[in-house]
């Protein structure tokens, strides 16, 4: 009789554990608890993106000597510890055509769209855009593999002229001036340059 009671009690205990455990995650052989299958986590970035002082960007060479920048042409906004400011003129090999003026900052602590707007305004002041003509409309550009937001605006009364492009992402903001260009051409070149200037 005692053996029968022990056997029944053991059966109830085992079956009870099975019922209670049915909805719980199981432990793997390594002791790690695994639950229901879940989507793979998105790839994490290894750290904040930074700008680099690239000697070549988008097929253009950073100009030195007489073509190099001698000052900071556009107010980059407040610079804090850890931020980097990158500026430069980039041009075709052989010096053909007007150089592309680039200016960007990384590790931006505030909304990078606001910093890009600040850089846009500074670039319009640099080219002496007449505010009475209105504020040029920024148009979105496909940002490419680095994502974020890329926009270009035409600061001209014709279909070509001065085009200012800018990008903003999680930590960086930058603008560039393309003289005697179109929105389409400037946008494509700007995205190509970004691939060499941002890491």
């Amino acid at each position: 009789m005692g053996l029968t009671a022990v056997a029944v009690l053991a059966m109830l205990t085992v079956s009870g554990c099975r019922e209670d455990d049915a909805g719980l995650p199981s432990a793997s052989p390594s002791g790690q608890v695994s639950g229901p299958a879940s989507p793979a986590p998105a790839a994490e970035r290894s750290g904040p993106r930074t700008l680099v002082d690239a000697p070549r960007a988008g097929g253009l060479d950073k100009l030195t000597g007489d073509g190099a920048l001698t000052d900071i042409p556009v107010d980059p906004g407040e610079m804090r510890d850890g931020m980097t400011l990158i500026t430069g003129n980039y041009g075709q090999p052989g010096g053909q055509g007007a150089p592309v003026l680039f200016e960007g900052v990384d590790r931006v602590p505030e909304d990078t769209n606001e910093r890009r707007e600040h850089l846009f305004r500074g670039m319009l002041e640099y080219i002496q855009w007449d505010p009475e003509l209105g504020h040029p409309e920024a148009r979105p550009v496909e940002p490419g593999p680095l994502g974020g937001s890329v926009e270009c605006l035409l600061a001209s009364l014709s279909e070509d002229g001065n085009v200012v492009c800018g990008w903003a992402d999680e930590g960086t903001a930058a603008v560039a001036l393309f003289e005697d260009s179109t929105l389409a051409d400037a946008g494509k070149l700007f995205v190509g340059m970004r691939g060499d200037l941002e890491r």
Side-chain angles (χ1 to χ4, degrees), residues 1-11:
M1 175 118 177
L3 290 175
T4 304
V6 169
V8 170
L9 183 58
M11 287 178 64

Side-chain angles (χ1 to χ4, degrees), residues 72 75-86 103-110 115:
I72 300 171
D75 174 17
E78 183 180 358
M79 295 296 293
R80 299 181 183 145
D81 289 345
M83 294 177 68
T84 306
L85 169 66
I86 299 292
E103 184 165 327
V105 290
D106 63 16
R107 296 182 178 90
V108 177
E110 78 272 9
R115 183 62 69 108

Side-chain angles (χ1 to χ4, degrees), residues 14-87:
V14 170
S15 66
C17 286
R18 287 183 186 150
E19 288 174 8
D20 291 344
D21 290 349
L24 296 177
S26 59
S28 69
S30 66
Q32 296 286 337
V33 175
S34 61
S38 60
E44 294 182 12
R45 288 179 22 191
S46 59
R49 290 184 181 166
T50 58
L51 299 184
V52 294
D53 192 11
R56 190 167 176 80
L60 303 179
D61 294 327
K62 185 166 185 181
L63 302 182
T64 58
D66 292 340
L69 286 179
T70 56
D71 60 1
I72 300 171
V74 175
D75 174 17
E78 183 180 358
M79 295 296 293
R80 299 181 183 145
D81 289 345
M83 294 177 68
T84 306
L85 169 66
I86 299 292
T87 62

Side-chain angles (χ1 to χ4, degrees), residues 117-140:
E117 287 302 314
H118 177 89
L119 291 167
F120 269 148
R121 288 192 299 271
M123 196 65 84
L124 289 173
E125 289 175 9
Y126 172 76
I127 63 173
Q128 300 179 346
W129 174 255
D130 186 351
E132 291 186 4
L133 297 174
H135 188 76
E137 179 184 355
R139 298 188 182 177

Side-chain angles (χ1 to χ4, degrees), residues 141-142 150 152 163 165 178 182-192:
V141 172
E142 176 59 42
V150 177
C152 292
V163 178
C165 293
F178 302 84
T182 64
L183 284 169
D185 290 345
K188 182 178 179 182
L189 179 53
F190 185 63
V191 170

